[in-house]
Amino acid sequence: MSFGVPGKMMDGKDESHNLEDLRKQLEETKRQLEDERERRRSAENLSPGGSLSDSDNRSQMRSSVDSGMEVAPINEADVTLRRLVQRIAMILQAEKIAIMFYDREKGELIGIPPAYGIDDEHLKIFRIRATHGISGKVFREGEPAIFHDTAADPRTNEDPFGLLHVQNGITVPLVIEKRDEENRVIDRTTIGVLHAFNKRHGEDFNDEDVRLLERMARNVGSIIANLQMYREVVEEREELLQTFESLAAGLILVSPEGRLSQMNASAREIFGTDQEAIGKNYRDVIRNEAIEKIFLANQRGEDTPKAEIHVHVRGSDRIYEVQSAQVRNEEGRDLGLVAIFNDITEMKNIDKMKSNFVAMASHELRTPLTAIKGFSSTLLEGIDEDVYSKEDQREFLGIVVQECDRLRRLIDDLLNTSRIEAGESLTPNYSRFELLPLLEKAVMVQQQASSRHKVLLKVHNELPEMIIGDQDKLDQILTNLLNNAIKYSPNGGDVIVHAKLEGSDVLIGVQDQGLGIPKEHLSKVFERFHRVNNEDNRKIYGTGLGLYLVKHLVEKVHMGQIWAESEVGVGSTFFVRLPKDLDIEKAKAQPD
Ligand code: ADP
């Protein structure tokens, strides 16, 4: 402070000038005092007992999770962190503040936002190996460091400080502390370092600044810890919701007041509703008496056994197994109901088909056996007395042989099915063979077997003379389709085998004028045990294995396609498309 030159003191003008100066200086001193107060206040506020303490933040976070507000607190915490970084710069009178995070995978300390006085571009390249420089040393040893002249200080040689024009600074470890209920530290992890660079006004940092930065680093650590914890909670919740949503089973949560609080995609489909259903009374959405009964019992606290419900979902009848229970928290408070709906339609169908199959297979086994036993006993009884003519004997034995073949076919079907089920293929035996004679033979054999049907072959264009495939298995395919055509045309009619060349494929169609197949069964008849079970078909015995095996022989052995077209009461055509020059290597390499 100067009072001017003494000689000029008496000058009135100078005197007023001095007074003006004094007032200005007083103002300046006041301002500095206020700054200093603010600086102390801020430092106090940032202490662990202050408004940004761990426990405060945590409880704030928890309540936000409970109320389901995920996004706001994260931004809030981000803002808090940014403000804190700014405040640190102000308190320490530092030009730049930087946080470095330890990236375990890379083994590097990496600059992360928010920073102060450093732009994003510079921050991105502000990184160093955790084994190097003063940053690495502080990180590894957990002790703060102060440096006064980076150009002359060998400790800072490796740090990327030149990039940020750092002359002096303080580096302190960034530590996350986990505390128990009584605020005792139970775990401490160093996650990075916090830097303050370049003291303003050409000054230098001192030990008091180190102490202050260490204190503030704890707050930075706790905010980051909360952020991390919060993100984990949100991510977990997200993950849970995603899992919940993508579950194949339907899942419903009902609040204690009976409102739908969650309903995943499967559940929405089962009950033909959308997200709008959330919040509505479950009765208005589900509209199923059986479920209502179960839920009411659950709400009364009763355990309910698994139940089956029948629901019409998107045009088809489905059966669901329902499991539901009341949910209570640790204190026993009612949190509502949870219900899981598992689609057991297929399982039920297979069950039904299996029992049908057992009945059918027994019948299929008994019929030929009865014939074999009957004819051979008859022959045996008559052996001594020469009761039967040679002609009769030949006929009886012919029947026995035929029935034995039928039995063998059935047993082969059963064995082949179990082989396919076990993932084994039906060892193919490939060769180049003549197609037309094979078709003609199959047609002729079937014509002989039935007098009520007319079995014909219709070749539509020039067929290739030779094709590559498994001759026996192709015969089996044709025989099976022809057998079915005759079997499922109880009133007789024409059975026509169509054949033509289509590009490099041979297309074969086996057409009948029989019972036909209802639309919903058209693709299913190729599944094992699947039989059309209606008034007309019920009297026709079979195991439901034939087409399943044929499909395997077409697709797996011959790399072909099979499908059926049909009209109930008019007839069916089974189509088989086969490559004429099968790539044997490719066919063998096919997965089972
Ligand atoms: P199976 O004849 O032993 O029952 P398949 O697997 O050969 O077994 O056939 C499955 C079902 O497909 C049959 O039960 C029948 O309902 C239906 N089906 C097959 N071929 C025909 C056909 N040509 N006409 C009508 N229905 C057929």
Side-chain angles (χ1 to χ4, degrees):
M1 245 186 251
S2 147
F3 286 99
V5 184
K8 288 187 178 173
M9 270 206 48
M10 299 313 288
D11 186 331
K13 203 179 158 203
D14 276 359
E15 197 180 15
S16 72
H17 194 80
N18 277 343
L19 268 175
E20 181 66 11
D21 261 357
L22 261 175
R23 215 174 31 240
K24 270 190 187 159
Q25 281 179 17
L26 194 67
E27 288 289 309
E28 172 67 1
T29 318
K30 261 186 179 169
R31 207 183 51 75
Q32 280 179 4
L33 201 69
E34 197 50 52
D35 270 358
E36 179 62 21
R37 272 201 198 120
E38 169 66 14
R39 182 181 137 117
R40 286 185 186 281
R41 245 198 323 268
S42 298
E44 285 308 317
N45 272 348
L46 290 169
S47 71
S51 65
L52 284 165
S53 77
D54 257 355
S55 55
D56 266 14
N57 263 357
R58 223 168 270 155
S59 63
Q60 191 185 333
M61 188 192 76
R62 227 174 258 144
S63 65
S64 332
V65 175
D66 285 348
S67 63
M69 294 163 24
E70 296 95 349
V71 189
I74 281 195
N75 290 337
E76 228 168 69
D78 277 336
V79 170
T80 314
L81 192 59
R82 203 169 314 126
R83 278 209 203 112
L84 177 57
V85 167
Q86 276 169 11
R87 236 189 260 175
I88 295 173
M90 200 196 82
I91 293 165
L92 289 184
Q93 295 288 299
E95 257 177 33
K96 298 166 201 278
I97 301 290
I99 300 171
M100 279 184 132
F101 221 68
Y102 177 58
D103 183 322
R104 187 165 303 159
E105 271 170 34
K106 296 198 176 88
E108 278 181 3
L109 288 160
I110 296 173
I112 57 151
Y116 182 84
I118 304 168
D119 61 39
D120 287 351
E121 292 309 306
H122 281 93
L123 197 62
K124 252 185 227 154
I125 43 176
F126 186 53
R127 48 176 66 204
I128 184 170
R129 294 208 64 73
T131 43
H132 289 51
I134 205 156
S135 314
K137 186 171 156 62
V138 169
F139 172 70
R140 292 190 315 274
E141 295 174 5
E143 290 298 325
I146 182 164
F147 43 95
H148 303 288
D149 182 3
T150 49
D153 195 330
R155 294 176 303 165
T156 62
N157 273 354
E158 295 169 324
D159 293 274
F161 290 167
L163 184 82
L164 305 180
H165 305 291
V166 176
Q167 284 110 37
N168 53 26
I170 306 171
T171 301
V172 297
L174 206 50
V175 177
I176 288 185
E177 290 176 344
K178 256 196 207 143
R179 291 166 187 271
D180 65 7
E181 313 266 279
E182 280 143 42
N183 213 27
R184 282 181 305 222
V185 176
I186 46 164
D187 188 29
R188 189 186 283 268
T189 322
T190 307
I191 56 162
V193 292
L194 175 66
H195 299 283
F197 297 134
N198 296 356
K199 183 95 170 175
R200 282 185 194 277
H201 314 301
E203 288 182 32
D204 203 354
F205 291 109
N206 57 32
D207 289 348
E208 170 68 5
D209 292 327
V210 175
R211 214 179 53 76
L212 266 174
L213 189 61
E214 271 193 298
R215 266 175 93 176
M216 290 182 288
R218 254 184 286 172
N219 293 96
V220 172
S222 83
I223 293 181
I224 291 177
N226 281 347
L227 264 177
Q228 270 185 340
M229 214 158 89
Y230 197 81
R231 284 197 177 119
E232 275 163 25
V233 171
V234 170
E235 267 165 29
E236 256 172 46
R237 193 185 146 101
E238 258 321 288
E239 240 169 59
L240 199 71
L241 284 178
Q242 279 306 326
T243 318
F244 192 85
E245 187 65 11
S246 53
L247 272 182
L251 235 150
I252 290 181
L253 298 186
V254 179
S255 74
E257 297 75 38
R259 300 195 174 277
L260 288 166
S261 52
Q262 288 288 354
M263 203 172 184
N264 71 352
S266 305
R268 294 197 297 273
E269 183 171 348
I270 299 172
F271 299 105
T273 183
D274 52 24
Q275 296 278 18
E276 297 288 297
I278 305 297
K280 290 190 183 154
N281 191 307
Y282 78 86
R283 284 191 199 125
D284 298 335
V285 178
I286 291 177
R287 296 176 191 282
N288 182 305
E289 257 181 56
I291 298 178
E292 212 172 296
K293 259 193 197 157
I294 299 171
F295 281 7
L296 284 174
N298 287 142
Q299 276 170 334
R300 287 193 300 267
E302 292 168 23
D303 282 340
T304 44
K306 282 183 194 169
E308 271 173 29
I309 56 157
H310 294 251
V311 187
H312 198 68
V313 182
R314 284 210 276 150
S316 79
D317 289 316
R318 315 290 307 172
I319 309 170
Y320 289 91
E321 185 185 74
V322 194
Q323 253 179 302
S324 68
Q326 194 180 35
V327 187
R328 292 186 178 278
N329 70 0
E330 281 167 16
E331 289 99 52
R333 189 161 65 91
D334 178 12
L335 297 180
L337 302 177
V338 57
I340 303 173
F341 298 81
N342 272 311
D343 189 339
I344 53 166
T345 320
E346 296 309 321
M347 219 171 72
K348 283 269 162 190
N349 279 350
I350 289 189
D351 261 6
K352 208 160 84 195
M353 280 191 269
K354 274 195 177 154
S355 21
N356 282 347
F357 167 76
V358 173
M360 288 296 166
S362 324
H363 177 271
E364 289 286 278
L365 285 169
R366 201 179 313 121
T367 314
L369 266 183
T370 313
I372 294 167
K373 171 116 197 278
F375 284 104
S376 41
S377 325
T378 312
L379 281 172
L380 195 64
E381 276 162 22
I383 208 161
D384 295 327
E385 286 106 46
D386 274 339
V387 180
Y388 301 108
S389 67
K390 253 213 165 69
E391 207 61 0
D392 287 343
Q393 288 181 31
R394 185 167 291 120
E395 194 194 332
F396 291 174
L397 284 171
I399 293 173
V400 170
V401 170
Q402 228 175 25
E403 294 300 308
C404 280
D405 281 346
R406 188 170 155 189
L407 258 185
R408 207 205 50 222
R409 269 203 308 276
L410 179 67
I411 291 166
D412 280 351
D413 277 3
L414 291 173
L415 282 176
N416 286 336
T417 302
S418 72
R419 264 185 216 142
I420 295 173
E421 293 297 290
E424 294 164 26
S425 77
L426 307 178
T427 347
N429 182 11
Y430 294 117
S431 65
R432 223 173 128 78
F433 59 89
E434 286 180 295
L435 177 63
L436 199 56
L438 185 130
L439 297 175
E440 283 166 344
K441 195 191 114 209
V443 168
M444 201 184 68
V445 170
Q446 293 300 322
Q447 180 60 80
Q448 279 173 353
S450 170
S451 52
R452 298 176 60 208
H453 300 84
K454 212 154 107 202
V455 189
L456 308 159
L457 173 66
K458 237 186 195 170
V459 179
H460 294 258
N461 58 12
E462 188 127 347
L463 287 180
E465 205 177 312
M466 309 283 277
I467 66 160
I468 299 174
D470 182 323
Q471 195 170 354
D472 278 351
K473 297 206 164 56
L474 184 55
D475 184 57
Q476 210 174 317
I477 294 169
L478 286 169
T479 307
N480 223 308
L481 294 179
L482 280 166
N483 245 327
N484 277 352
I486 292 168
K487 191 159 87 170
Y488 294 102
S489 309
N491 302 321
D494 290 350
V495 172
I496 308 170
V497 176
H498 300 270
K500 67 171 171 181
L501 179 68
E502 250 189 24
S504 55
D505 295 333
V506 172
L507 184 66
I508 299 169
V510 179
Q511 184 185 17
D512 64 51
Q513 298 174 323
L515 300 172
I517 303 168
K519 276 226 153 18
E520 64 274 20
H521 288 272
L522 263 185
S523 59
K524 289 190 175 158
V525 289
F526 299 101
E527 293 169 13
R528 76 204 151 115
F529 308 133
H530 193 96
R531 307 197 73 229
V532 180
N533 198 8
N534 59 25
E535 227 11 79
D536 296 320
N537 284 271
R538 214 162 290 144
K539 292 169 232 133
I540 304 169
Y541 285 96
T543 54
L545 293 178
L547 288 177
Y548 171 73
L549 292 169
V550 164
K551 185 177 162 77
H552 184 93
L553 297 179
V554 171
E555 290 180 351
K556 294 282 183 264
V557 179
H558 286 99
M559 295 185 81
Q561 287 129 27
I562 182 164
W563 70 99
E565 287 173 9
S566 184
E567 199 174 323
V568 175
V570 178
S572 318
T573 308
F574 280 79
F575 293 96
V576 173
R577 187 197 297 279
L578 304 170
K580 73 181 171 68
D581 297 310
L582 176 70
D583 182 338
I584 296 177
E585 291 313 312
K586 218 162 134 190
K588 279 186 180 161
Q590 275 193 109
D592 283 324

